[in-house]
Amino acid sequence: MQVRVQSDIFDPGAELNAFTAVIDGAGAVVSFSGIVRDVAGGLQTMEIEHYPGMTESALQAIAEEAMQRWNLADALVIHRYGRLQAGEIIMMVATASPHRKDAFDSAEFLMDYLKSRAPFWKKEVSSAGADWVAAKDEDESALDRW
Amino acid sequence: MDVLYFAWVRERIGIPKETVETSAATVNELVAELRQREERYEVAFSDLSSLRVAVDQTLTDFDASLSGAREVAFFPPMTGG
């Protein structure tokens, strides 16, 4: 299991290959990559703030819970902070399991939890000004299914 | 006790972190003390339903005890992913 919090950009393809190369006995790998979107147009940067210390421990706890709840060979979580541009990678998760369903379900669980339980906050800076991205009710209610 | 602020809470209060001398027994009592300080605190804490709190880097509730706590953080709902 690997959890990384970093400002540096990373290559999700290379990360996925490295993850897949070392899993043992897993027949299924699922990965998700999150990319900065320019939703309203005119996005200059997305600033991601986080809570150093708590971020790492929260992600670690979420990944450990996934490892316990599903039959997983391994799990990977990488999340960036700092100033990002539209089109840049923000984060990725990958899960490896003997079975496809465990790999898909645990990847969705990781995404749902790190959306509203990992201490990151996004601010969109555009020519019109700067606004904190508001949490969505549906992100909170997405946790109920787990 | 260290008190940390993130995102718009940090911007409204104007600082990311401060050390507070307090005898507050719960997060709610600490919030009540902070609100009485200055208007910027009153504004930041005016709607607790829009805030989240962590005690010693663990997410908790506003009625949580501060017994033995070293660090309290206030922030809006998280937007990771």
Side-chain angles (χ1 to χ4, degrees):
Chain A
M1 200 178 85
Q2 198 189 143
V3 167
R4 275 160 45 200
V5 180
Q6 62 187 54
S7 61
D8 290 344
I9 199 160
F10 63 91
D11 176 348
E15 295 291 346
L16 183 60
N17 286 338
F19 177 77
T20 306
V22 296
I23 49 164
D24 201 16
V29 171
V30 164
S31 79
F32 174 89
S33 304
I35 312 291
V36 179
R37 276 195 307 160
D38 185 359
V39 181
L43 183 78
Q44 290 166 342
T45 58
M46 174 175 277
E47 296 176 9
I48 303 181
E49 182 171 335
H50 79 120
Y51 184 170
M54 181 176 167
T55 310
E56 291 80 357
S57 57
L59 292 178
Q60 189 78 22
I62 293 165
E64 276 169 16
E65 189 171 348
M67 296 289 292
Q68 280 169 12
R69 289 176 67 158
W70 286 274
N71 182 8
L72 297 184
D74 205 358
L76 169 71
V77 178
I78 307 173
H79 204 303
R80 294 178 66 200
Y81 61 89
R83 274 169 200 268
L84 281 64
Q85 311 293 320
E88 275 188 34
I89 182 111
I90 304 177
M91 51 76 58
M92 77 176 284
V93 303
T95 55
S97 169
H99 307 291
R100 156 182 82 167
K101 186 165 176 27
D102 283 45
F104 271 117
D105 288 354
S106 58
E108 285 217 75
F109 167 88
L110 286 172
M111 285 310 306
D112 282 346
Y113 266 82
L114 72 83
K115 252 194 148 23
S116 41
R117 289 293 182 273
F120 291 99
W121 301 275
K122 295 191 185 108
K123 187 184 204 179
E124 291 174 339
V125 182
S126 73
S127 45
D131 268 317
W132 291 99
V133 174
K136 298 189 188 84
D137 290 342
E138 67 216 51
D139 290 339
E140 186 63 31
S141 55
L143 302 185
D144 294 344
R145 64 177 164 147
W146 308 112
Chain B
M1 178 185 300
D2 288 335
V3 181
L4 283 69
Y5 310 107
F6 291 96
W8 59 253
V9 186
R10 169 179 56 73
E11 290 180 339
R12 257 168 232 187
I13 291 176
I15 46 172
K17 180 179 180 177
E18 62 185 319
T19 302
V20 173
E21 292 294 328
T22 179
S23 54
T26 64
V27 174
N28 272 322
E29 288 183 26
L30 176 64
V31 169
E33 282 182 15
L34 292 169
R35 288 180 74 155
Q36 283 175 354
R37 284 178 151 194
E38 285 175 53
E39 197 182 347
R40 58 195 167 111
Y41 291 92
E42 176 63 34
V43 170
F45 288 107
S46 59
D47 177 14
L48 291 189
S49 70
S50 66
L51 292 180
R52 301 290 179 269
V53 61
V55 173
D56 288 333
Q57 303 194 355
T58 300
L59 207 59
T60 187
D61 300 315
F62 282 84
D63 56 7
S65 166
L66 290 181
S67 173
R70 287 161 305 173
E71 185 174 299
V72 179
F74 296 101
F75 41 79
M78 295 158 273
T79 51

